[in-house]
Each structure stands twice: as C-alpha cells, then as structure tokens.
Coordinates of all heavy atoms in Angstrom, one line a residue:
D3 N 0.8 -1.2 0.0 CA 0.0 0.0 0.0 C 0.9 1.3 0.0 O 0.5 2.2 -0.7 CB -0.9 -0.1 1.2 CG -1.9 -1.2 1.1 OD1 -2.1 -1.7 0.0 OD2 -2.5 -1.6 2.2
G4 N 1.9 1.2 0.8 CA 2.8 2.4 0.9 C 3.5 2.7 -0.5 O 3.6 3.8 -1.0
N5 N 3.9 1.6 -1.1 CA 4.6 1.8 -2.5 C 3.6 2.2 -3.5 O 4.0 3.0 -4.4 CB 5.3 0.5 -2.8 CG 6.6 0.2 -2.1 OD1 7.2 1.1 -1.6 ND2 6.9 -1.1 -1.9
A6 N 2.4 1.7 -3.4 CA 1.4 2.1 -4.4 C 1.1 3.6 -4.3 O 1.0 4.3 -5.3 CB 0.1 1.3 -4.2
L7 N 1.1 4.1 -3.1 CA 0.9 5.5 -2.9 C 2.1 6.3 -3.4 O 1.9 7.4 -4.0 CB 0.7 5.8 -1.4 CG 0.5 7.3 -1.0 CD1 -0.7 7.8 -1.6 CD2 0.4 7.4 0.5
K8 N 3.3 5.7 -3.3 CA 4.5 6.4 -3.7 C 4.5 6.6 -5.3 O 5.0 7.6 -5.7 CB 5.8 5.5 -3.4 CG 7.1 6.1 -3.8 CD 8.2 5.2 -3.4 CE 9.5 5.8 -3.8 NZ 10.6 4.9 -3.5
F9 N 3.8 5.6 -6.0 CA 3.8 5.8 -7.5 C 2.5 6.4 -7.9 O 2.2 6.3 -9.1 CB 4.0 4.4 -8.1 CG 5.3 3.8 -7.9 CD1 5.5 2.7 -7.0 CD2 6.4 4.3 -8.4 CE1 6.7 2.1 -6.9 CE2 7.7 3.8 -8.2 CZ 7.8 2.7 -7.4
N10 N 1.8 7.1 -7.1 CA 0.7 7.9 -7.5 C 1.0 8.9 -8.5 O 1.8 9.8 -8.2 CB -0.1 8.4 -6.3 CG -1.4 8.9 -6.6 OD1 -1.8 9.2 -7.8 ND2 -2.3 9.0 -5.7
Y11 N 0.4 8.9 -9.7 CA 0.7 9.9 -10.7 C 0.4 11.3 -10.2 O 1.1 12.3 -10.7 CB 0.0 9.6 -12.0 CG -0.1 10.7 -13.0 CD1 1.1 11.0 -13.7 CD2 -1.2 11.5 -13.1 CE1 1.1 12.1 -14.6 CE2 -1.2 12.5 -14.1 CZ -0.1 12.8 -14.8 OH -0.1 13.8 -15.7
W12 N -0.6 11.5 -9.5 CA -1.0 12.8 -9.1 C -0.1 13.5 -8.1 O -0.3 14.7 -7.8 CB -2.5 12.7 -8.6 CG -3.4 12.2 -9.6 CD1 -4.0 11.0 -9.7 CD2 -3.8 13.0 -10.8 NE1 -4.8 10.9 -10.8 CE2 -4.7 12.0 -11.5 CE3 -3.5 14.2 -11.3 CZ2 -5.3 12.4 -12.7 CZ3 -4.1 14.5 -12.5 CH2 -4.9 13.7 -13.3
L13 N 0.8 12.7 -7.5 CA 1.7 13.4 -6.5 C 2.8 14.1 -7.2 O 3.3 13.7 -8.3 CB 2.4 12.3 -5.7 CG 1.5 11.5 -4.7 CD1 2.3 10.5 -4.0 CD2 0.8 12.5 -3.7
P14 N 3.1 15.3 -6.8 CA 4.2 16.1 -7.5 C 5.5 15.4 -7.7 O 6.2 15.6 -8.7 CB 4.4 17.3 -6.6 CG 3.1 17.5 -5.8 CD 2.6 16.0 -5.6
S15 N 5.8 14.6 -6.7 CA 7.1 13.8 -6.8 C 7.1 12.8 -7.9 O 8.2 12.3 -8.3 CB 7.4 13.1 -5.4 OG 6.4 12.2 -5.1
S16 N 6.0 12.4 -8.5 CA 5.8 11.4 -9.5 C 6.0 12.1 -10.9 O 6.1 11.3 -11.8 CB 4.5 10.7 -9.4 OG 4.3 10.1 -8.2
A17 N 6.0 13.4 -11.0 CA 6.1 14.1 -12.2 C 7.2 15.1 -12.2 O 6.9 16.3 -12.4 CB 4.8 14.6 -12.7
P18 N 8.4 14.8 -12.0 CA 9.5 15.8 -11.8 C 9.7 16.5 -13.2 O 10.0 17.7 -13.2 CB 10.8 15.0 -11.4 CG 10.5 13.6 -11.9 CD 9.0 13.5 -11.8
A19 N 9.6 15.8 -14.3 CA 9.8 16.4 -15.6 C 8.7 17.5 -15.9 O 9.1 18.6 -16.4 CB 9.6 15.4 -16.7
V20 N 7.5 17.3 -15.5 CA 6.4 18.3 -15.6 C 6.8 19.5 -14.8 O 6.5 20.6 -15.3 CB 5.1 17.7 -15.2 CG1 4.0 18.8 -15.4 CG2 4.8 16.5 -16.1
E21 N 7.2 19.4 -13.5 CA 7.5 20.5 -12.7 C 8.6 21.3 -13.3 O 8.6 22.5 -13.3 CB 7.8 20.0 -11.3 CG 6.7 19.5 -10.5 CD 7.0 19.2 -9.0 OE1 8.2 19.2 -8.7 OE2 6.1 19.1 -8.2
A22 N 9.6 20.6 -13.8 CA 10.8 21.3 -14.4 C 10.4 22.2 -15.5 O 10.8 23.3 -15.6 CB 11.9 20.3 -14.8
I23 N 9.5 21.7 -16.4 CA 9.1 22.4 -17.6 C 8.2 23.5 -17.1 O 8.2 24.7 -17.6 CB 8.3 21.5 -18.6 CG1 9.3 20.5 -19.1 CG2 7.7 22.3 -19.7 CD1 8.7 19.4 -19.9
H24 N 7.3 23.3 -16.1 CA 6.4 24.3 -15.7 C 7.1 25.5 -15.1 O 6.5 26.7 -15.2 CB 5.4 23.7 -14.7 CG 4.4 24.6 -14.1 ND1 3.3 25.1 -14.9 CD2 4.2 25.3 -12.9 CE1 2.6 25.9 -14.3 NE2 3.1 26.0 -13.0
N25 N 8.3 25.3 -14.5 CA 9.0 26.4 -13.8 C 9.7 27.2 -14.8 O 10.3 28.3 -14.4 CB 9.9 25.8 -12.8 CG 9.2 25.2 -11.6 OD1 8.1 25.7 -11.3 ND2 9.8 24.3 -10.9
R26 N 9.8 26.9 -16.1 CA 10.6 27.7 -17.0 C 9.7 29.0 -17.4 O 8.5 28.9 -17.4 CB 10.8 26.9 -18.3 CG 11.8 25.7 -18.1 CD 11.9 25.0 -19.4 NE 12.6 23.7 -19.2 CZ 12.8 22.9 -20.3 NH1 12.3 23.1 -21.4 NH2 13.5 21.8 -20.0
T27 N 10.4 30.0 -17.6 CA 9.7 31.3 -18.0 C 10.1 31.6 -19.5 O 11.3 31.5 -19.8 CB 10.2 32.4 -17.1 OG1 11.5 32.5 -17.1 CG2 9.7 32.1 -15.7
P28 N 9.2 32.1 -20.2 CA 9.5 32.5 -21.6 C 10.4 33.6 -21.7 O 10.4 34.6 -20.9 CB 8.1 32.9 -22.2 CG 7.3 33.2 -21.0 CD 7.8 32.4 -19.9
P29 N 11.4 33.6 -22.6 CA 12.3 34.8 -22.8 C 11.6 36.1 -23.2 O 10.7 36.0 -24.0 CB 13.3 34.2 -23.9 CG 12.4 33.3 -24.7 CD 11.5 32.6 -23.7
V30 N 12.0 37.1 -22.6 CA 11.5 38.4 -23.0 C 12.5 39.2 -23.7 O 13.6 39.6 -23.2 CB 11.0 39.2 -21.8 CG1 10.5 40.6 -22.2 CG2 10.0 38.4 -21.0
G31 N 12.4 39.5 -25.0 CA 13.3 40.2 -25.8 C 13.1 41.7 -25.8 O 12.0 42.1 -25.4
K32 N 14.1 42.4 -26.1 CA 14.1 43.9 -26.2 C 14.4 44.3 -27.6 O 15.2 43.8 -28.3 CB 15.1 44.5 -25.2 CG 14.7 44.2 -23.7 CD 15.7 45.0 -22.8 CE 15.3 44.7 -21.4 NZ 16.3 45.4 -20.4
V33 N 13.8 45.4 -28.0 CA 14.0 46.0 -29.4 C 15.4 46.7 -29.3 O 15.7 47.5 -28.4 CB 12.9 47.0 -29.8 CG1 13.3 47.6 -31.1 CG2 11.6 46.3 -29.8
L34 N 16.3 46.4 -30.3 CA 17.6 46.9 -30.3 C 17.7 48.0 -31.3 O 17.1 48.0 -32.4 CB 18.6 45.8 -30.5 CG 18.6 44.6 -29.6 CD1 19.8 43.6 -30.0 CD2 18.9 45.0 -28.2

C-alpha cells in the first residue's frame, strides 16, 4: 500500500519532468 501511494501519478514527486518544464519562463526580448 505504501509503495502504491509512492507511485501515485497525481503526486508532485511522481512528475519531476512536468514540474521542471512548468517552472521555465518564456524569454522576454528587447528591441535593439
């Protein structure tokens, strides 16, 4: 039961790749 909970998809720890992408911010360019 404990391990099944560990692999729950809905837990943030189960989707590190998603969190890494979500934390990225789009580049803001300036007119030169």
